[in-house]
Each structure stands twice: as structure tokens, then as C-alpha cells.
């Protein structure tokens, strides 16, 4: 059995791992469990999760990487990463291919978390440009779920303009989740995760090469048993 610990940025990412990613990976002998980025610890022993502050991501990753029997990966958004996050200051929005820029940040995150022995089972992943880009892999499924046929045309137009879901950009009013909210269909991040199950991983990976590379790598971990 191959164990995989996934550090997720928010509730919707955790739900994706729990309801979609984990059942899929079990078919490959990989058993994934999500944990949220710890944003605040309470005196009672409880905690709040969510967010991408570098200090919180770093502190949340360390105990996961200390588990020498598990692989570790992240599910964080490229959009909105703080300036002090590893590698972010070295990439310029709008300069160079988006996938090259996000891979540079992933490499910087790997290096920032320690030596080769500490990180030998660490697979950093940063979603391009945002987790919600994956909804754009299935415009008709989204439109059908919300009962608004016209939504599919809006999504298709965004995909064409950006040349793919993962290229929908960093703009404050144009990043993927903001676009979905602006369509007036009542999009809510956590409640809409079920739509991704309807869209299906095959459609998402076909439309999102960076996601496909990550998922393919995770599937292969099953052969590392």
C-alpha cells in the first residue's frame, strides 16, 4: 500500500481529494488523505485551516514530510500566492509560459522544504492558475448542474480567449473562480465540487496538461509499493 498525504489550500480542495482524487487513486494502489493548511491553532487544541501564507504552508508541511512511510503532495493555487512564497518573486505574471512559471515555483518549494533526504517523497503541485480552472473542462456539465444553458457559451468563450482552462489568468476580476461567480449562477466553491465529479477526471486531464502531469505521477506511485 502506498500512502499519500495531500496538503490542501482550502475546504473545496479537501473535498476534491476526499470525494474524487482518493477513490480514483485507490485503483492504482495509492491511498490519499487530505489535510488543510493550518492557519490558526486554538488553546483548546483545535485548529482553523485554509489559506496559502508561506509561514502556514511551511509549518503544515513539516509534520507531513516527517512521515517517512508516506508520499506528500500539495494542492495550492498559483493565483494569489504571497510574494514571500518560494519562487514567486522570481516569476513575472504575463512573462513566459504559465506552465513554466508554475513549475519554477514548484521547484522552489521543493528546495525550500529541506535536503534531498527530507523531500525524496515530496511532489509539490500548484494548480494553474487556480483549482476552479478545472470546472472549465466541462462547460456543459456546469451549465446543466446550475440549470442555465447560456453559461456554457460564456465558459467556452473564456477557454478560447485564454487558449485552455489552465491559462485563464491572474486578473482580480478574471481568475477562474471570479469568472464563475460573475456568471450569476450562484456558484459556491464547496457546494460545487460535486460538479467536478460529473465532469470527470478524464475530461479535466485532457483539458489541463499541468493537472494531467500531476495526476499521472500520483498514479505511478502505486508501483512504488
Amino acid at each position: 500500500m502506498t500512502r499519500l498525504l495531500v496538503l490542501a489550500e482550502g475546504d473545496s480542495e479537501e473535498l476534491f481529494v476526499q470525494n474524487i482524487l482518493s477513490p480514483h487513486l485507490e485503483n492504482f494502489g495509492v491511498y490519499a488523505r487530505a489535510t488543510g493548511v493550518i492557519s490558526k491553532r486554538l488553546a483548546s487544541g483545535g485548529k482553523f485551516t485554509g489559506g496559502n501564507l508561506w509561514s502556514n504552508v511551511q509549518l503544515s508541511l513539516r509534520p507531513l514530510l516527517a512521515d517517512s512511510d508516506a508520499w506528500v503532495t500539495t494542492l495550492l493555487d498559483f493565483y494569489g500566492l504571497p510574494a514571500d512564497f518560494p519562487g514567486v518573486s522570481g516569476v513575472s505574471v504575463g512573462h513566459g509560459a504559465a506552465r513554466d512559471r508554475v513549475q519554477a515555483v514548484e521547484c522552489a518549494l521543493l528546495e525550500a522544504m529541506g535536503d534531498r533526504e527530507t523531500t525524496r517523497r515530496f511532489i509539490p503541485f500548484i494548480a494553474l492558475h487556480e483549482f476552479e480552472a478545472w470546472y472549465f473542462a466541462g462547460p456543459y456539465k456546469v451549465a446543466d448542474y446550475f440549470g442555465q444553458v447560456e453559461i456554457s457559451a460564456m465558459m467556452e468563450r473564456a477557454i478560447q480567449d485564454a487558449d485552455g482552462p489552465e491559462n485563464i489568468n491572474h486578473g482580480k476580476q478574471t481568475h477562474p473562480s471570479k469568472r464563475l461567480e460573475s456568471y450569476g449562477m450562484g456558484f459556491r466553491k464547496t457546494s460545487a465540487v460535486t460538479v467536478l465529479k460529473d465532469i470527470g477526471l478524464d475530461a479535466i486531464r485532457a483539458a489541463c496538461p499541468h493537472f494531467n502531469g500531476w495526476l499521472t505521477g500520483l498514479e505511478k506511485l502505486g508501483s512504488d509499493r
Side-chain angles (χ1 to χ4, degrees), residues 8 10-23 34 75 131-136 138 141-142 145-146 177 180 185-201 204:
D11 292 340
S12 55
E13 287 85 354
E14 284 197 64
L15 287 170
F16 172 79
V17 174
Q18 177 183 334
N19 297 319
I20 302 173
L21 182 65
S22 182
L75 179 45
F131 169 80
E132 286 75 19
W134 303 342
Y135 290 94
F136 287 81
K141 293 288 188 179
V142 174
Y145 178 84
F146 288 99
S177 61
L180 291 169
M185 57 188 177
F187 177 82
R188 296 291 182 272
K189 292 187 177 184
T190 51
S191 61
V193 170
T194 186
V195 184
L196 293 176
K197 190 171 185 178
D198 290 340
I199 293 171
L201 290 176
I204 296 172

Side-chain angles (χ1 to χ4, degrees), residues 138-157 180 183-186:
Y140 295 98
K141 293 288 188 179
V142 174
D144 183 62
Y145 178 84
F146 288 99
Q148 298 188 34
V149 176
E150 68 278 8
I151 297 299
S152 61
M154 297 179 187
M155 295 181 72
E156 290 283 2
R157 192 154 49 246
L180 291 169
Y183 294 154
M185 57 188 177

Side-chain angles (χ1 to χ4, degrees), residues 2 5 44 49 53 55 67 78 105 117 127 139 143 166-167 174 194 204 212 221:
T2 298
L5 306 177
S44 62
T49 60
L53 292 179
S55 58
D67 187 339
F78 190 34
V105 173
E117 180 60 27
E166 290 182 320
N167 291 325
T174 56
T194 186
I204 296 172
N212 179 54
L221 296 180

